[in-house]
């Protein structure tokens, strides 16, 4: 799926006109807000708004769509002035909710209307974003996310893109919103992010503020299928930029997407994951990185899942095309795969298991020194897995591999110690899982002794303390 047209951003916050059920907290509450009646005369009598503001807003509020269009055409400056005065001068949450919802509806009806705000700010040498950014600090969450929605529309629909300073602030804010635990407005934050990441310059800045890791973090927390779709859509947008696509798997994206694919129950989620996988191969110009991405997908069982999906009937032509493409590319990537390639892919995926290379003396004899390449890249990854993983299988294999590394590359003992690996392995000698404990014990002995050939005898002596026989590698 090379083009972007196959996946459009439907306006989830505004489906009532189509008779659909509200799908987000913001949309649900906006439906209630639209039914409210604001007593503008009481604001005039209380001297909270001027007679000019009252005259315009009371008329605009009840006007039909074609009448509103005429008012906007005849006096766009007054429109902006009135709405800015209302946003900045009204403290009552219920009324501010109404004003923002009315403004959002005006923009939704005609995207070009965002230019009214831009032109006003330009003429008056003002910051178009300040009134809306100010509302992001309000306690009322509907106000916050309705303001955010308007910011995204102005940023995406205007002829001039958002300036870098404000763009960076807004994207950092959105990144933090999707990470908030139990955020009732998560779908709305995700919708804004989807809109923003359709624009290439915005994608680059989002990656610069470490947005990918935030998306991966949320996807790993097993959210709802709609959040899955929205956030994978964001990754799909990013993957259209060849430079970003080359770097994206550094954030552990492929393993995370593989999990989403295996758990997907909605076709739209399957479709967007497959499209993203395709981009991570098709849009990458560097052949070695393309191969690395393909092998990572194979290591994460994507090829097996593709085979299962190919046996089903799909009405969606995009899914059929992407399955065919991925099947060809992934099978091609493993045709001439060496044992070292297989090992590197497995380590980089972070999903270690007892594949044959780990137990092969020949493999370690021929390849132990390769862990030193690129400033000990693979060795550091093994040590990082020991430090961060909670999976007993991963910990067992990582400890075993570090032991094999120093067994076949004796000078590596000092390197492992300098990188903090020795201390990590030693702490797992007290692990509750017997397999982790056993592999840590063997690895520590290899790190300690000068002649590894005596290790077998040492293990035989100590084995009863572990419960008789060595735990099974599972």
């Amino acid at each position: 799926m090379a083009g972007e047209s196959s996946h459009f951003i439907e306006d989830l916050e505004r489906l009532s006109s189509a008779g659909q059920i509200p799908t987000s907290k913001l949309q649900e509450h906006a439906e209630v807000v639209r039914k409210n009646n604001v007593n503008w005369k009481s604001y005039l009598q209380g001297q909270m708004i001027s007679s000019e503001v009252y005259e315009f807003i009371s008329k605009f509020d009840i006007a039909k769509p074609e009448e509103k269009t005429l008012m906007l055409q005849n006096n766009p400056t007054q429109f902006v002035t009135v709405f800015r005065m209302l946003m900045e001068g009204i403290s009552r949450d219920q009324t501010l909710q109404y004003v923002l919802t009315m403004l959002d509806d005006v923009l939704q009806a005609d995207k070009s209307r965002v230019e009214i705000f831009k032109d006003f700010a330009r003429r008056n040498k003002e910051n178009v974003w300040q009134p809306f950014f100010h509302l992001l600090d309000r306690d009322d969450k509907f106000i916050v996310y309705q303001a955010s929605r308007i910011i995204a529309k102005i940023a995406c629909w205007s002829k001039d893109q958002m300036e870098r300073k404000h763009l960076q602030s807004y994207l950092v804010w959105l990144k933090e919103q999707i990470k908030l635990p139990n955020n009732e407005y998560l779908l709305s934050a995700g919708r804004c992010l989807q809109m923003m990441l359709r624009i290439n310059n915005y994608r680059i800045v989002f990656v610069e503020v470490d947005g990918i890791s935030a998306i991966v973090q949320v996807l790993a927390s097993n959210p709802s299928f709609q959040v899955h779709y929205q956030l994978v859509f964001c990754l799909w947008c990013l993957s259209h930029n060849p430079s970003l696509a080359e770097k994206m798997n550094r954030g552990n994206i492929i393993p995370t997407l593989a999990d989403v694919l295996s758990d997907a129950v909605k076709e739209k989620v399957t479709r967007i994951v497959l499209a993203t996988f395709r981009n991570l191969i098709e849009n990458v110009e560097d052949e070695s990185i393309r191969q690395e991405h393909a092998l990572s997908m194979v290591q994460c069982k994507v090829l097996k899942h593709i085979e299962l999906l190919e046996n089903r009937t799909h009405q969606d032509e995009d899914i059929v095309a992407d399955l065919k493409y991925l099947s060809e590319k992934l099978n091609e990537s493993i045709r001439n795969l060496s044992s070292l390639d297989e090992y590197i892919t497995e380590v980089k995926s972070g999903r270690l298991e007892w594949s044959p290379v780990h137990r092969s003396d020949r493999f370690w004899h021929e390849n132990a020194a390769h862990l030193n390449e690129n400033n000990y890249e693979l060795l550091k990854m093994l040590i990082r897995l020991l430090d961060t993983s909670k999976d007993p299988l991963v910990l067992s294999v990582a400890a075993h591999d570090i032991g094999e590394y120093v067994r076949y590359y004796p000078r590596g003992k000092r390197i492992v110690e300098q990188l903090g690996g020795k201390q990590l392995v030693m702490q797992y000698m007290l692990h509750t899982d017997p397999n982790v404990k056993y592999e840590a014990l063997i690895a520590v002995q290899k790190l300690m002794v000068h002649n590894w050939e005596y290790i077998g005898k040492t293990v035989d002596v100590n084995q009863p303390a572990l419960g008789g026989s060595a735990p099974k590698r599972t």
Side-chain angles (χ1 to χ4, degrees):
M1 185 178 305
E4 298 190 30
S5 59
S6 297
H7 293 272
F8 61 90
I9 303 178
E10 72 275 22
D11 186 16
L12 283 185
E13 318 303 355
R14 206 55 214 288
L15 295 176
S16 60
S17 59
Q20 298 187 40
I21 298 172
T23 54
S24 78
K25 180 77 173 178
L26 189 74
Q27 182 201 359
E28 184 181 323
H29 191 66
E31 290 298 315
V32 175
V33 170
R34 290 185 184 97
K35 295 173 183 175
N36 292 337
N37 291 311
V38 176
N39 185 352
W40 298 113
K41 196 157 193 176
S42 67
Y43 281 93
L44 174 65
Q45 292 169 342
Q47 298 184 336
M48 288 178 278
I49 60 174
S50 65
S51 57
E52 291 82 2
V53 171
Y54 168 74
E55 185 178 342
F56 183 90
I57 194 63
S58 59
K59 183 179 178 182
F60 190 84
D61 188 11
I62 60 174
K64 296 177 180 178
E66 57 272 18
E67 294 171 339
K68 287 182 178 178
T69 299
L70 197 60
M71 291 178 72
L72 288 167
Q73 289 173 346
N74 291 339
N75 205 337
T77 299
Q78 187 177 16
F79 166 75
V80 178
T81 302
V82 167
F83 272 86
R84 285 189 56 163
M85 290 181 69
L86 292 173
M87 285 190 293
E88 294 170 6
I90 291 177
S91 58
R92 191 184 181 204
D93 285 347
Q94 188 175 6
T95 306
L96 189 52
Q97 288 178 3
Y98 188 85
V99 169
L100 290 172
T101 302
M102 192 192 314
L103 175 55
D104 182 66
D105 289 345
V106 166
L107 298 181
Q108 187 65 40
D110 184 347
K111 294 180 180 182
S112 67
R113 290 172 178 171
V114 300
E115 299 298 344
I116 299 174
F117 279 87
K118 280 293 193 75
D119 292 342
F120 180 90
R122 197 178 296 113
R123 283 196 308 273
N124 292 279
K125 296 181 180 180
E126 294 179 356
N127 180 353
V128 71
W129 311 108
Q130 191 276 333
F132 302 103
F133 271 40
H134 179 71
L135 296 175
L136 298 182
D137 294 325
R138 297 279 294 222
D139 291 330
D140 185 287
K141 294 305 176 188
F142 179 85
I143 291 174
V144 168
Y145 285 98
Q146 193 70 296
S148 170
R149 177 175 162 82
I150 294 170
I151 291 170
K153 288 180 176 178
I154 297 175
C156 295
W157 295 347
S158 173
K159 290 179 288 188
D160 299 319
Q161 293 184 3
M162 200 175 200
E163 305 84 352
R164 183 179 179 86
K165 175 185 173 183
H166 301 111
L167 173 62
Q168 200 166 30
S169 297
Y170 181 53
L171 290 177
V172 167
W173 183 84
L174 280 178
K175 180 188 78 168
E176 295 306 316
Q177 299 313 298
I178 66 171
K179 288 165 58 180
L180 281 178
N182 305 314
N183 183 359
E184 286 185 308
Y185 289 89
L186 177 55
L187 288 176
S188 298
R191 181 59 53 194
C192 291
L193 198 53
Q194 282 181 276
M195 290 181 65
M196 296 295 288
L197 296 183
R198 293 301 294 265
I199 297 174
N200 189 54
N201 287 341
Y202 297 175
R203 297 168 186 165
I204 294 169
V205 176
F206 183 69
V207 172
E208 288 176 0
V209 300
D210 200 26
I212 289 179
S213 65
I215 289 179
V216 170
Q217 179 183 327
V218 179
L219 287 175
S221 67
N222 195 30
S224 69
F225 83 86
Q226 184 59 37
V227 174
H228 266 144
Y229 176 78
Q230 287 186 332
L231 296 186
V232 176
F233 184 102
C234 291
L235 296 178
W236 174 75
C237 287
L238 295 174
S239 68
H240 280 86
N241 180 309
S243 177
L244 298 181
E246 288 190 352
K247 304 168 187 172
M248 283 175 68
N249 198 39
R250 296 176 190 173
N252 218 32
I253 280 180
I254 289 175
T256 302
L257 288 176
D259 287 342
V260 174
L261 182 64
S262 65
D263 295 338
V265 293
K266 296 287 186 177
E267 188 174 72
K268 64 188 279 185
V269 177
T270 298
R271 183 174 68 246
I272 198 69
V273 173
L274 292 174
T276 307
F277 277 148
R278 178 168 183 166
N279 282 354
L280 289 176
I281 297 175
E282 193 171 43
N283 291 345
V284 171
E285 297 170 358
D286 188 302
E287 174 62 35
S288 63
I289 297 177
R290 270 206 308 273
Q291 174 75 352
E292 182 182 314
H293 285 182
L295 291 178
S296 181
M297 292 176 201
V298 173
Q299 178 63 38
C300 295
K301 309 295 190 295
V302 172
L303 186 55
K304 292 182 179 179
H305 202 75
I306 285 172
E307 290 169 355
L308 292 173
L309 288 170
E310 284 181 318
N311 290 325
R312 302 177 190 171
T313 302
H314 300 283
Q315 301 300 322
D316 191 313
E317 293 180 1
D318 289 331
I319 290 181
V320 175
D322 290 345
L323 285 172
K324 184 175 183 292
Y325 177 88
L326 289 168
S327 179
E328 289 174 357
K329 294 300 180 182
L330 298 193
N331 277 301
E332 184 181 307
S333 73
I334 59 177
R335 280 192 193 116
N336 300 308
L337 187 62
S338 70
S339 58
L340 179 60
D341 291 331
E342 181 186 340
Y343 181 76
I344 291 171
T345 303
E346 185 179 335
V347 173
K348 287 186 175 180
S349 77
R351 304 193 172 196
L352 302 182
E353 54 187 42
W354 288 115
S355 53
V357 292
H358 298 282
R359 303 188 181 99
S360 169
D361 289 340
R362 179 179 175 181
F363 171 80
W364 288 107
H365 178 72
E366 294 174 352
N367 296 298
H370 284 294
L371 271 66
N372 300 333
E373 294 174 356
N374 298 321
N375 192 27
Y376 307 102
E377 181 184 23
L378 289 175
L379 182 60
K380 288 177 179 177
M381 287 181 178
L382 288 172
I383 292 171
R384 193 179 306 119
L385 287 172
L386 282 179
D387 189 34
T388 60
S389 180
K390 305 298 181 188
D391 187 339
L393 177 58
V394 172
L395 295 174
S396 297
V397 180
H400 167 272
D401 286 5
I402 288 173
E404 291 296 88
Y405 166 70
V406 300
R407 174 184 171 190
Y408 285 95
Y409 188 76
R411 283 181 293 175
K413 294 174 185 176
R414 180 174 55 84
I415 298 165
V416 170
E417 188 166 0
Q418 288 175 342
L419 294 174
K422 181 178 178 180
Q423 189 61 37
L424 286 169
V425 174
M426 289 180 72
Q427 77 180 26
Y428 287 118
M429 291 167 62
L430 301 175
H431 199 275
T432 54
D433 186 278
N435 291 297
V436 176
K437 184 185 294 184
Y438 175 75
E439 295 298 342
L441 173 62
I442 301 301
V444 167
Q445 289 178 321
K446 292 173 184 175
L447 283 160
M448 294 296 194
V449 302
H450 294 289
N451 189 342
W452 64 266
E453 291 176 357
Y454 292 107
I455 290 176
K457 297 177 183 178
T458 311
V459 173
D460 289 339
V461 171
N462 289 316
Q463 197 59 50
L466 292 172
S469 59
K472 280 182 140 184
R473 290 175 176 172
T474 56

